[in-house]
Amino acid sequence: MASMSLRFAFVLFWISILASTVLSDLVISKIDRRIDLTSQIVRVVSSLKVENRGHDTASEVLLAFPDIQAKNLAYLQSSHHEGKGKGKQSAVSLPVTLVQPEGMPSDLTFYSISLPKGLEKGKSFTLDVLAVFTHSLKPFPEEITQADVQLVVYQDSAYYISPYEVRFQTLAVRLPSGRVESYTKYPSTKLVESDIKYGPFENLPPFSYIPITVHFESSYPFAVVQELEREIEISHWGNIQVTEHYSLVHGGAPLKGGFSRIEFQSRPPIRGESSIRHFIAMLPPRAHSVYYRDEIGNISTSHLWSDSKMTYLQIEPRYPMFGGWRTSFTIGYGLPLRDFLYEADGKRFLNITFGCPFNEIVIDHLIVKVVLPEGSKEISAAVPFVTKQSQEVKYSHLDIVGRPVIVLEKTIVVPEHNIHFQVYYKFNNLALLMEPFLLISGFLFLFIACIVYMHTDASISKFSASYLAKQQLDEVRATVQQVLSIINRVLAVHNKLETSLRDLSRTGDVQSCKAARKAADGSFKDLAKELKPLLGYLQSSPQASQIWPKVEELLSKEKELQEKLMAKHSAIVDGFEKKSARREVENRVASIDQKLAILRQEADELLDTLDDF
Ligand SMILES: *[C@@H]1O[C@H](CO)[C@@H](O)[C@H](O)[C@H]1NC(C)=O
Ligand SMILES: *[C@@H]1O[C@H](CO)[C@@H](O)[C@H](O)[C@H]1NC(C)=O
């Protein structure tokens, strides 16, 4: 039923023209082909025996792929086993190049394999070819529900498409399981367990072709990284920091009818078999400081374990991923420098793997950036396949000219590309000292700046003239305040004397009035003693030169006040004792009081002025 609709779902490729010019010199006397469909990556392994039937020596063998397949060809490798007998053989890889031979069908893509030495007339040569394809399994039905099993379709030719006559051939298609919806049957086709066998076919002319379609169950999660950026940063201080940014999509049949976590968890036998629940990254041994995060933050559902050969990181996305779902995340880890950096011929070189550490993942676009230490020169990269190379500069703190970065880009990357590549560069060891030198000189500069600053500050605080002047002025001000407070106390004694005089006129108690006078005399003496050093200081201080006349004026006013007050006191007490006429005493005192009032006002004004100083 599904196979009926298949005819409409897919456009089969075909070869439009049969070549008129036949490369008659070579013949494929035998070919065994195995197509491995067990994962999302299709691998075709062919073992060919080529025979030269012409007169001229042959130096190349052509391989032909229909364009529709060639556009998904990720990796092509050819090798030859040297030596006789099993175990003594060693594989030698043969150069493969894309070619455009003349007079060939236009919808085929050709590759040429160079033979190690010319193949003479009548001789034969055996070689193996591995071709790896991505995006060649099409989900059908195109959408599935969470409970459905994923079915996919693969199409190819049962005959080996070749520009040469093929004498004898077989084909085996390996499936993930024996659960096959349908497959194209020709005479002698048989399904044995999970292998479909076609052939043998004999004596077929060049470009013979018959289509096959296989529709089968594949629960393999089709993890496709649309873009991966790997940054490998070398620090000569002993570490290589690797940071990998993934944007990943599940390339399998998109989910229809929404996702139910309850159903996902409660139906163990089915529960979205083709969904991606976790990945395992195989990192080099001694990887350290491993982390895994996405846009939201660090993801803790990751597990790390290691043995002597590998460090394994199992990561789990926040949700199981179904067909068409996307996610982006970053993993990062540190590696010991000595495991990957070597020296040869006066150059240093990094020797590390190119691809990503996850198993059976397809990468549509891979960018590998190798960040070299600042000051690296004569940079070159040696990659065993074609990549687009460019250079840029990365700046981080403490960099002056920036770090040179070599950028390698490649489209359609499969695990076969996860092989070692090298980045060579020259580096002057002195440049290694640049950063510490910068740091040390930076700190030194800071220290010197601090010392200079503190020194400057010290000279300000202890030796600067303006600072001294300010300090002296402050001292003068404090002294003036002390003088003012003593004068105020003197004036308070004045008030006490006045009070004693008023008491006398009320009570007539001359003795207590005299006692008050005596006490006042004592106070005046004490206060005069306190005042003396303060006045001595003010008189000698140049900072007090402006204020000194006012202080002197205040002192003389006070002295006058005191004299007048004493005179008043004596006059009244005398008057009492001599029982003088009240009127006479009052007359004498009135003129003194007038004088006292004026003096008090003048003293008050001086006190205010001095208080504001
Ligand atoms: C994530 O983990 C890395 C490595 O353990 C750590 O340096 C970083 O601070 C973490 N970030 C957050 C947001 O927790
Ligand atoms: C790079 O390392 C691999 C694996 O250790 C090794 O086989 C290969 O020879 C090294 N390449 C170079 C150029 O040293």
Side-chain angles (χ1 to χ4, degrees):
M1 170 209 70
S3 57
M4 289 298 285
S5 36
L6 267 183
R7 246 179 263 157
F8 306 101
F10 297 101
V11 181
L12 300 175
F13 57 78
W14 71 67
I15 291 135
S16 51
I17 322 153
L18 289 185
S20 45
T21 48
V22 171
L23 302 166
S24 55
D25 281 0
L26 290 182
V27 164
I28 296 176
S29 49
K30 186 172 190 286
I31 174 165
D32 293 313
R33 226 167 14 127
R34 275 177 291 119
I35 301 175
D36 185 340
L37 304 180
T38 53
S39 78
Q40 64 161 332
I41 297 169
V42 175
R43 291 185 174 83
V44 183
V45 179
S46 315
S47 164
L48 296 86
K49 190 175 179 194
V50 188
E51 199 181 315
N52 188 357
R53 301 260 313 272
H55 297 285
D56 302 329
T57 304
S59 61
E60 60 166 18
V61 176
L62 289 179
L63 303 179
F65 297 96
D67 287 347
I68 199 162
Q69 277 187 348
K71 77 175 172 39
N72 293 324
L73 179 64
Y75 183 81
L76 183 62
Q77 194 209 37
S78 176
S79 58
H80 168 65
H81 289 284
E82 277 181 351
K84 289 222 163 73
K86 286 231 157 78
K88 285 181 187 160
Q89 298 183 341
S90 65
V92 179
S93 92
L94 306 172
V96 184
T97 45
L98 181 69
V99 289
Q100 280 181 303
E102 274 179 28
M104 292 290 167
S106 61
D107 43 12
L108 290 178
T109 303
F110 289 87
Y111 286 87
S112 163
I113 298 171
S114 305
L115 300 177
K117 53 179 194 272
L119 187 62
E120 285 162 24
K121 179 183 178 222
K123 293 269 165 31
S124 61
F125 185 78
T126 309
L127 60 126
D128 293 327
V129 176
L130 166 66
V132 181
F133 301 92
T134 61
H135 303 288
S136 298
L137 300 179
K138 303 289 174 208
F140 191 85
E142 287 171 6
E143 289 184 339
I144 54 172
T145 68
Q146 193 176 329
D148 287 342
V149 166
Q150 177 173 269
L151 295 170
V152 296
V153 167
Y154 177 74
Q155 295 183 311
D156 207 325
S157 167
Y159 298 158
Y160 176 68
I161 300 172
S162 172
Y164 312 112
E165 181 191 335
V166 184
R167 293 270 174 79
F168 182 91
Q169 63 175 300
T170 62
L171 169 66
V173 180
R174 162 148 293 184
L175 305 175
S177 71
R179 293 193 290 277
V180 184
E181 198 78 359
S182 70
Y183 61 96
T184 310
K185 294 183 185 81
Y186 291 110
S188 81
T189 301
K190 42 183 192 286
L191 174 67
V192 182
E193 291 176 9
S194 55
D195 281 7
I196 303 172
K197 303 215 159 143
Y198 289 96
F201 306 110
E202 285 173 47
N203 299 322
L204 292 169
F207 301 112
S208 293
Y209 159 83
I210 46 166
I212 54 166
T213 298
V214 186
H215 191 202
F216 61 99
E217 202 181 299
S218 174
S219 54
Y220 199 90
F222 284 25
V224 177
V225 176
Q226 288 176 312
E227 188 173 294
L228 165 59
E229 189 180 312
R230 300 183 76 207
E231 190 185 89
I232 302 166
E233 181 156 4
I234 299 174
S235 160
H236 281 164
W237 298 97
N239 191 51
I240 293 178
Q241 181 60 40
V242 184
T243 312
E244 300 177 346
H245 304 284
Y246 290 85
S247 77
L248 187 134
V249 64
H250 187 312
L255 186 69
K256 73 172 176 207
F259 164 68
S260 153
R261 188 176 271 276
I262 295 168
E263 196 182 338
F264 180 77
Q265 282 163 348
S266 64
R267 294 180 60 175
I270 302 165
R271 55 170 193 168
E273 254 188 287
S274 59
S275 70
I276 302 173
R277 269 153 289 171
H278 61 250
F279 310 96
I280 293 180
M282 284 177 291
L283 308 177
R286 289 182 290 283
H288 60 87
S289 320
V290 182
Y291 67 87
Y292 161 48
R293 67 179 151 77
D294 65 4
E295 304 98 328
I296 305 172
N298 278 353
I299 304 175
S300 54
T301 50
S302 54
H303 308 282
L304 194 69
W305 69 98
S306 60
D307 57 30
S308 60
K309 289 199 196 87
M310 286 284 165
T311 304
Y312 302 89
L313 170 70
Q314 179 184 318
I315 64 172
E316 241 175 76
R318 290 181 196 267
Y319 291 97
M321 284 182 68
F322 286 88
W325 291 19
R326 288 160 199 283
T327 184
S328 331
F329 60 88
T330 301
I331 64 171
Y333 47 95
L335 298 170
L337 185 70
R338 61 170 194 282
D339 290 2
F340 300 93
L341 196 75
Y342 307 91
E343 270 195 73
D345 307 328
K347 280 196 162 194
R348 292 168 194 239
F349 70 96
L350 172 80
N351 185 24
I352 200 165
T353 50
F354 186 81
C356 90
F358 293 104
N359 245 341
E360 287 298 273
I361 273 190
V362 171
I363 307 163
D364 285 345
H365 186 201
L366 173 62
I367 305 161
V368 178
K369 293 186 175 183
V370 178
V371 184
L372 299 169
E374 200 177 23
S376 302
K377 290 193 180 70
E378 296 176 41
I379 302 154
S380 63
V383 192
F385 36 79
V386 180
T387 54
K388 191 178 141 203
Q389 298 191 5
S390 58
Q391 285 200 18
E392 54 184 49
V393 177
K394 182 186 175 180
Y395 292 94
S396 48
H397 46 272
L398 288 179
D399 286 350
I400 301 171
V401 293
R403 293 161 198 234
V405 181
I406 187 152
V407 184
L408 308 169
E409 282 181 74
K410 171 145 183 59
T411 52
I412 324 184
V413 178
V414 289
E416 276 74 7
H417 292 113
N418 204 3
I419 49 182
H420 285 79
F421 74 103
Q422 294 82 34
V423 173
Y424 294 87
Y425 61 98
K426 273 199 169 149
F427 186 79
N428 186 341
N429 267 324
L430 274 180
L432 183 58
L433 297 175
M434 197 61 193
E435 279 189 7
F437 172 75
L438 267 181
L439 269 177
I440 291 167
S441 51
F443 277 114
L444 199 65
F445 175 77
L446 197 68
F447 284 136
I448 291 173
C450 279
I451 290 167
V452 167
Y453 174 76
M454 280 166 68
H455 188 76
T456 312
D457 193 48
S459 61
I460 287 170
S461 59
K462 295 212 175 98
F463 309 115
S464 110
S466 63
Y467 185 85
L468 263 182
K470 188 183 169 294
Q471 212 180 28
Q472 284 172 354
L473 193 60
D474 283 346
E475 256 172 74
V476 167
R477 281 197 178 116
T479 312
V480 169
Q481 289 301 323
Q482 276 174 288
V483 170
L484 294 183
S485 94
I486 292 170
I487 300 289
N488 277 319
R489 276 153 71 195
V490 171
L491 295 178
V493 177
H494 289 190
N495 284 342
K496 269 189 192 162
L497 276 175
E498 292 276 18
T499 310
S500 76
L501 288 175
R502 279 196 295 278
D503 287 348
L504 179 65
S505 64
R506 229 176 352 105
T507 61
D509 184 350
V510 179
Q511 288 316 307
S512 63
C513 193
K514 276 187 175 169
R517 166 80 185 257
K518 216 175 167 188
D521 280 340
S523 297
F524 286 142
K525 258 188 209 143
D526 289 346
L527 291 170
K529 234 189 243 170
E530 272 188 53
L531 212 49
K532 210 177 164 192
L534 300 177
L535 296 176
Y537 170 75
L538 287 180
Q539 207 174 358
S540 65
S541 168
Q543 300 296 323
S545 57
Q546 266 186 314
I547 203 80
W548 179 244
K550 296 267 179 220
V551 176
E552 264 191 318
E553 203 184 336
L554 176 66
L555 290 170
S556 74
K557 294 286 173 205
E558 193 279 327
K559 201 177 168 198
E560 225 181 313
L561 260 173
Q562 214 178 85
E563 278 170 7
K564 292 281 183 263
L565 189 59
M566 291 307 185
K568 181 184 169 183
H569 200 273
S570 304
I572 292 175
V573 171
D574 279 1
F576 249 90
E577 279 178 339
K578 291 173 184 163
K579 311 231 189 306
S580 308
R582 193 185 173 98
R583 187 147 203 110
E584 198 187 326
V585 175
E586 278 180 357
N587 278 345
R588 270 168 62 192
V589 169
S591 72
I592 298 175
D593 270 344
Q594 258 184 8
K595 203 91 195 161
L596 278 173
I598 294 166
L599 283 171
R600 282 210 178 98
Q601 208 186 332
E602 287 172 345
D604 267 354
E605 278 168 17
L606 282 168
L607 280 169
D608 279 351
T609 315
L610 285 168
D611 202 29
D612 291 343
F613 172 63

